[in-house]
Amino acid sequence: MGDAAPAGAAAGPWIDTHCHLRLETCDSEVAAARGAGVAALIAVGTDVADSREAIAVAGRHGGVRAAAGVHPHEAAGGTDGLADLLGLPDVAAVGECGLDYHYDHSPRPDQRRVFAGQIGLAHETGLTLVVHSRSAWDDTFAILLSEGVPARTVLHCFTGGTAEAERALALGAYLSFSGIVSFPNAPEVREAAALCPPDRLLVETDAPLLAPVPLRGRPNSPANVPLVGAAVAQARGVKPKEVAATTTANAAAVFGLGGMILD
């Protein structure tokens, strides 16, 4: 992973709004991100124990904040203990949570119940909601509507096309694009990235998964978010520095990052 920006990376500052970091490797990951012009990171939990680790990573590094939540894959295990984490100072969001009907690692009724519960926690705490949705758009939107869309709601790793993007934007959600936007077999994601209004646009890595072209197939890192941003810029027909400025300002507002820098 190294400490230098990846070849072809665009100058920042950038914010990686969604990555998964481990305590044992976070020092090198954060150093590499800083070297690549990444100003801040959101370390995301997928269950209560993993959320505690994300919070520990955030507590160890300036410029890192955590999202605490229960992923749909883990929904069968419930959310006991999650609410206790949400008041901690390094927690900026609830999530990731949502629905995944592609793998169905948890029963769908459990997924829907746990998703609705975390929307409620976002309302109670005023925190940003980070949503995972795969092969479940209709139910995702239905639950958001029935529970009420939090003021700051992010559809992370957006994989829909223009129809799904328009539905999400109509709810006031932000669209966060990952390395998938650079994949040759994802033209619909690029169309959604082109459609998204500048003030609703975010970028992420979802590291260690989904490394962008030309690193596809390798372990991903927050240091690669400039490559994601460059792919978004190409889809939108603008310069990467425009995407960097827009998405960094949006992420700072959405996650309450202010003037944070990595240290």
Side-chain angles (χ1 to χ4, degrees):
M1 294 171 185
D3 290 336
W14 298 89
I15 293 177
D16 185 353
T17 64
H18 197 109
C19 59
H20 301 276
L21 300 177
R22 303 266 73 90
L23 271 171
E24 63 268 22
T25 57
C26 68
D27 291 352
S28 61
E29 295 269 28
V30 170
R34 182 169 64 176
V38 180
L41 313 171
I42 303 297
V44 179
T46 56
D47 60 24
V48 174
D50 191 56
S51 294
R52 290 193 188 101
E53 184 164 9
I55 294 165
V57 169
R60 186 164 172 166
H61 295 284
V64 180
R65 290 293 181 266
V70 175
H71 190 287
H73 289 347
E74 313 301 331
T79 59
D80 287 351
L82 177 60
D84 295 336
L85 302 180
L86 299 178
L88 297 176
D90 289 318
V91 175
V94 180
E96 66 183 285
C97 59
L99 305 175
D100 194 312
Y101 293 174
H102 179 79
Y103 288 109
D104 279 325
H105 287 329
S106 287
R108 293 184 182 184
D110 288 344
Q111 292 189 46
R112 291 189 285 265
R113 173 180 54 81
V114 167
F115 180 31
Q118 290 177 91
I119 295 172
L121 288 172
H123 284 302
E124 291 172 20
T125 60
L127 292 172
T128 301
L129 182 72
V130 177
V131 177
H132 171 111
S133 182
R134 186 169 186 189
S135 303
W137 289 112
D138 286 344
D139 279 3
T140 297
F141 290 130
I143 292 170
L144 283 168
L145 283 168
S146 68
E147 302 301 319
V149 184
R152 296 184 305 281
T153 294
V154 176
L155 292 183
H156 112 86
C157 192
F158 188 80
T159 55
T162 56
E164 293 79 14
E166 288 172 346
R167 291 177 73 182
L169 293 165
L171 297 180
Y174 292 79
L175 308 185
S176 183
F177 292 91
S178 70
I180 292 173
V181 75
S182 71
F183 293 1
N185 63 346
E188 72 285 353
V189 177
R190 285 185 287 280
E191 291 169 1
L195 169 76
C196 185
D199 64 350
R200 293 285 161 175
L201 183 68
L202 298 168
V203 289
E204 64 173 85
T205 61
D206 205 12
L209 304 174
L210 302 177
V213 174
L215 305 177
R216 191 174 180 185
R218 306 181 197 176
N220 202 3
S221 165
N224 295 331
V225 77
L227 293 176
V228 177
V232 170
Q234 185 173 20
R236 294 173 67 83
V238 300
K239 294 185 180 299
K241 66 180 181 180
E242 180 177 327
V243 172
T246 297
T247 59
T248 294
N250 291 343
V254 170
F255 293 100
L257 302 177
M260 288 171 52
I261 58 171
L262 291 171
D263 62 23

